[in-house]
Amino acid sequence: MEVIEVLHMNGGNGDISYANNSLVPQKVILMTRPITEAAISDLYCSLIPKSICIADLGCSSGPNTFLAVSGLIKTVDKKRKIFGHKSPEYQIYLNDLPSNDFNTIFKSVPPFQEKLKMQMESGFGPCFFAGVPGSFYRRLFPTKTVHFVHSSYSLQWLSQVPELEEINKGNIYMASSSPSSVIRAYVKQFEKDFSTFLSCRAEELVTGGRMVLTILGRKSEDPCSKDGCYIWELLALALDDLVSEGLIEEEKLDSFNIPHYNPSPAEVRNLVEMEGSFMVDHLEASEIHWNAYDSDDLESDKFKDGGYYVAKCMRAVAEPLLVSHFGEGIIEEVFSRYRKILSDRMSKEKTQFISVIVSLAKRA
């Protein structure tokens, strides 16, 4: 499986699209906004650039695509008014893999620009947008041209499925039952990918440039801990049910592994320090419930059943990967069973995603 070809969220605006099933990422972006605002404020105050280049890496498609960018632009505009400066020009790069739904993004740019003009007072500088298809584990921009990099819930995706020495039997990700060689392979792949990401961005960022990265991670130092692996373990149970009924071949399941890794804050800090191009300005881990709907959001019995929403959210994320390996024929049945498993576990346990947030400054 070539990850760059099949890894993307469900496109469009339909019922199972990422655009309509991305409330958790939306809340995470809003939750981390004080950190991103502080970082870009520091950058603007130290550089006072006449033009400012912002890159959002792993932008996906849908309403969240412009959420972080909008907040960053408004923060800079407030700062420049305090100083009495002329508005900088804004160059916004929206990056994701080539299989991302860029058509939906491009259609959304003109209305977003008009909305932004209406929200901002006169004197607001022009704002230019460009789509940048490609892996962020490679160079994406010219040397020393980018001021600020933002990425949310993207860097947990690996550049490839780790090369495994043993079969990860009955699992689709790291689990307590995975062979130790599988765990080591996942750790090694993340270390390689994240270090490559840092070195690429170090080339592209101006001196003093900033990055705020939010990664779906874990608090425990155990890579197989429940706070990092559990939601994938439950999907594996749904797939295993189909194996037991002969609807999926056992060998087909055993050869499927998710290109994903949930790092701990300590892992992130250690890799940043080892790579050496950035200083850690802020690092924290926060929690958000699997079902991001608050009680006021519950409009139907479907949403009171937490498994319904979470299964749809995970389908928007994982369906393209599953289809590429197992085909479309099993998808409805897999997620029907996954919903039931999720509902059962969520009714009995505390289920949370862990976000690892790190704010970095490029060294001189």
Side-chain angles (χ1 to χ4, degrees), residues 13 18-19 33 45 54 65 132 147 162 178 214 244 264 279 355 357 364:
N13 292 292
Y18 182 75
R33 182 165 280 179
C45 293
I54 299 170
T65 299
V132 183
H147 293 88
S178 297
T214 303
S244 66
S264 70
M279 297 179 291
S355 301
I357 307 114

Side-chain angles (χ1 to χ4, degrees), residues 259-278:
H260 189 278
Y261 186 81
N262 300 67
S264 70
E267 283 179 299
V268 170
R269 179 184 290 277
N270 289 340
L271 290 171
V272 170
E273 293 176 350
M274 287 176 60
E275 194 278 332
S277 299
F278 296 91

Side-chain angles (χ1 to χ4, degrees), residues 151-351:
S151 182
S152 184
Y153 272 30
S154 297
L155 278 159
Q156 68 273 4
W157 292 106
L158 302 173
S159 66
Q160 65 178 59
V161 175
E163 296 180 2
L164 305 183
E165 298 175 358
E166 300 176 69
I167 294 174
N168 192 19
K169 194 166 186 62
N171 301 308
I172 61 173
Y173 183 49
M174 295 183 298
S176 56
S177 60
S178 297
S180 58
S181 66
V182 170
I183 309 303
R184 288 195 301 271
Y186 267 96
V187 172
K188 182 179 179 181
Q189 187 65 51
F190 177 75
E191 290 175 348
K192 176 184 176 183
D193 285 345
F194 191 60
S195 298
T196 299
F197 175 90
L198 293 172
S199 61
C200 287
R201 304 295 82 78
E203 294 288 331
E204 297 161 351
L205 280 161
V206 301
T207 300
R210 302 294 297 260
M211 293 201 295
V212 176
L213 314 174
T214 303
I215 311 171
L216 187 60
R218 66 181 197 276
K219 288 186 176 180
S220 169
E221 290 309 310
D222 177 7
C224 298
S225 63
K226 203 171 183 178
D227 59 356
C229 302
Y230 195 40
I231 201 158
W232 295 113
E233 288 183 18
L234 300 185
L235 180 56
L237 289 179
L239 289 165
D240 197 51
D241 278 352
L242 300 188
V243 170
S244 66
E245 295 176 19
L247 300 175
I248 295 177
E249 294 179 2
E250 185 175 6
E251 293 78 9
K252 198 75 171 173
L253 176 58
D254 289 340
S255 63
F256 180 70
N257 290 283
I258 296 287
H260 189 278
Y261 186 81
N262 300 67
S264 70
E267 283 179 299
V268 170
R269 179 184 290 277
N270 289 340
L271 290 171
V272 170
E273 293 176 350
M274 287 176 60
E275 194 278 332
S277 299
F278 296 91
M279 297 179 291
V280 177
D281 185 61
H282 182 89
L283 177 65
E284 69 175 57
S286 61
E287 303 172 349
I288 186 170
H289 197 277
W290 282 3
N291 184 4
Y293 281 89
D294 298 322
S295 57
D296 293 339
D297 296 325
L298 303 181
E299 299 174 351
S300 72
D301 289 338
K302 289 181 180 179
F303 291 112
K304 292 175 184 177
D305 169 11
Y308 172 82
Y309 171 75
V310 180
K312 284 186 67 180
C313 177
M314 290 297 292
R315 180 171 180 173
V317 170
E319 181 171 1
L321 289 171
L322 292 168
V323 168
S324 72
H325 189 80
F326 297 104
E328 295 184 3
I330 66 159
I331 296 300
E332 293 298 333
E333 187 62 30
V334 167
F335 283 99
S336 174
R337 298 188 188 211
Y338 189 38
R339 172 187 172 181
K340 293 175 183 177
I341 293 170
L342 287 166
S343 298
D344 176 64
R345 300 301 175 93
M346 291 171 68
S347 69
K348 301 172 182 176
E349 306 174 44
K350 181 181 181 182
T351 53

Side-chain angles (χ1 to χ4, degrees), residues 8-136:
H8 61 89
M9 309 298 104
N10 277 346
N13 292 292
D15 186 54
I16 57 172
S17 67
Y18 182 75
N20 286 321
N21 294 283
S22 53
L23 183 59
V24 168
Q26 178 189 110
K27 289 196 171 187
V28 169
I29 290 173
L30 295 174
M31 183 173 63
T32 58
R33 182 165 280 179
I35 299 170
T36 56
E37 289 180 350
I40 202 162
S41 293
D42 288 347
L43 176 135
Y44 179 77
C45 293
S46 62
L47 300 180
I48 316 293
K50 292 184 179 179
S51 64
I52 185 166
C53 179
I54 299 170
D56 193 356
L57 307 186
C59 65
S60 192
S61 64
N64 295 347
T65 299
F66 300 102
L67 185 60
V69 166
S70 175
L72 292 168
I73 292 172
K74 291 174 182 178
T75 299
V76 171
D77 197 60
K78 288 179 183 177
K79 282 293 178 182
R80 69 94 182 170
K81 288 176 181 177
I82 292 173
F83 287 112
H85 293 158
K86 181 181 178 181
S87 174
E89 294 185 347
Y90 297 90
Q91 171 66 62
I92 310 299
Y93 289 122
L94 301 175
N95 156 261
D96 214 312
L97 293 175
S99 51
N100 182 54
D101 185 7
F102 279 101
N103 284 339
T104 295
I105 293 176
F106 294 151
K107 290 176 184 177
S108 302
V109 168
F112 173 75
Q113 289 175 313
E114 289 302 314
K115 182 179 179 181
L116 197 61
K117 286 180 182 179
M118 293 177 62
Q119 293 174 339
M120 311 299 278
E121 298 176 4
S122 59
F124 173 66
C127 188
F128 306 100
F129 284 84
V132 183
S135 169
F136 49 50

